[in-house]
Amino acid sequence: MTFARPDPISDPDTLPRMPAWVTSARAETLEDVAFLSGAALNHLHLVLGRDEVPQALLRDRLALSAAEACVGFSGRPERAGELRDAVYLLRPGDLPGPAGETCLAWRRAVERPVSIKALGRALPAFEPGQIATWLDAGKGGPVTRAAMVLEAVLREAPRGEVPALILADAALAQALGWDQIVPLLAAGLKRADLRKRGEDLRIACHRALTFSAIEAVRLAADLARRAAHLKAVAPKLRAKGAAEAVAMFLTRDAVAPAALPLPDRAARRLCDRLVDLGALRELTGRDTFRLYGV
């Protein structure tokens, strides 16, 4: 991504914290909520410009949160762990189901720079021309533009929360000069917010982005610390292919041992070794079909 780079320091503990006046403020008017969302997004912009933040991993983790929110909007019970299973434990020829499709859509949306082609890959049910028309529906500042795109999609596709929120985040990214989508709106909005229109929807989007930007900054700091620890212990790994495996863990929310570039037994040993070193977590709590992540 292209971000401002305020400081060359690479220690993850030096990442700037969101100001307390942003995290604790209570705003009611459009002007106040707009001010807070602008401050929060600007702070997130600065944090995302830091080299120590694992960008792809952060986007993938935020995509999971967005997928979980969208599944909840549709009234389904699946949560993050079940969404991971729906995607990472698929076998060739298997269908992921509605919840899995939602998760895949968000993961595909954040994998590549924003473009009509990339968005079409994430949202194959929609023609490129339709996606372009929806993206062009947004005018004005970043949050207003995102809210207008969200409203335009939901007006034509009332049950299209997933494409609406993906395209709204894409419009936000374009307006902010970010090369790739950073999922923010879905996790901050409530189901009732998606029925709002006009100024009410803009206010809901400002509130959602303030909340989600604060959470994204916290997550970025946590992942930066975890990524630094994984990089620090990587030289202790002697398995052939360990470097490639570490690179995968630094870019993906979860990895199955079978996906690593090592023989099956060696892959499982490597994952267990990294857990022992405190560099990875086992994400499922199962004895078999395990998934690991930073």
Side-chain angles (χ1 to χ4, degrees):
M1 293 184 181
T2 303
F3 297 105
R5 296 186 178 276
D7 192 340
I9 297 175
S10 60
D11 181 357
D13 289 330
T14 66
L15 285 177
R17 295 182 180 181
M18 187 75 71
W21 58 265
V22 175
T23 60
S24 61
R26 296 291 182 268
E28 298 299 333
T29 68
L30 176 58
E31 292 79 7
D32 288 343
V33 295
F35 176 77
L36 287 176
S37 71
L41 287 170
N42 180 69
H43 190 87
L44 175 60
H45 181 89
L46 296 176
V47 168
L48 292 174
R50 301 291 288 257
D51 289 332
E52 58 268 41
V53 175
Q55 306 285 344
L57 175 57
L58 175 64
R59 291 195 304 272
D60 206 29
R61 192 65 58 81
L62 290 173
L64 179 66
S65 295
E68 184 177 27
C70 287
V71 168
F73 293 150
S74 67
R76 298 189 63 87
E78 291 90 346
R79 291 297 176 259
E82 293 161 301
L83 292 176
R84 284 191 181 107
D85 284 354
V87 171
Y88 288 98
L89 301 182
L90 280 177
R91 296 178 180 178
D94 286 351
L95 296 176
E101 288 286 2
T102 296
C103 192
L104 285 172
W106 276 105
R107 292 194 67 225
R108 290 167 181 158
V110 304
E111 284 176 347
R112 301 179 183 184
V114 177
S115 69
I116 300 301
K117 182 178 180 180
L119 290 168
R121 180 172 175 268
L123 303 170
F126 299 95
E127 295 293 330
Q130 179 64 79
I131 291 173
T133 298
W134 279 331
L135 276 181
D136 287 341
K139 308 296 180 185
V143 182
T144 297
R145 181 175 171 182
M148 292 177 70
V149 170
L150 181 62
E151 183 172 348
V153 179
L154 290 175
R155 186 187 304 116
E156 296 185 41
R159 296 185 179 181
E161 295 93 350
V162 174
L165 288 161
I166 286 177
L167 293 177
D169 273 330
L172 181 71
Q174 289 180 325
L176 292 171
W178 297 349
D179 294 335
Q180 291 178 263
I181 291 174
V182 179
L184 294 172
L185 278 166
L189 289 169
K190 300 178 176 63
R191 181 187 291 184
D193 291 331
L194 299 177
R195 296 192 292 271
K196 296 176 179 177
R197 298 293 180 263
E199 182 174 309
D200 289 341
L201 181 59
R202 291 200 301 276
I203 290 176
C205 287
H206 280 297
R207 292 187 188 280
L209 289 168
T210 301
F211 169 82
S212 292
I214 291 170
E215 294 303 309
V217 167
R218 290 173 179 162
L219 179 60
D222 181 55
L223 291 178
R225 287 190 293 269
R226 292 177 181 276
H229 182 53
L230 176 56
K231 292 175 183 177
V233 304
K236 299 179 181 179
L237 307 174
R238 301 187 181 278
K240 188 176 182 180
E244 293 86 347
V246 167
M248 292 175 67
F249 287 119
L250 288 172
T251 57
R252 302 184 189 183
D253 164 63
V255 179
L260 297 176
L262 292 90
D264 182 63
R265 184 173 296 179
R268 286 186 276 112
R269 282 201 303 266
L270 176 67
C271 291
D272 290 341
R273 171 68 169 152
L274 286 170
V275 170
D276 290 341
L277 291 170
L280 286 187
R281 294 174 296 156
E282 200 287 310
L283 301 172
T284 69
R286 293 188 298 249
D287 292 330
T288 59
F289 302 108
R290 291 182 167 186
L291 296 171
Y292 297 84
V294 171

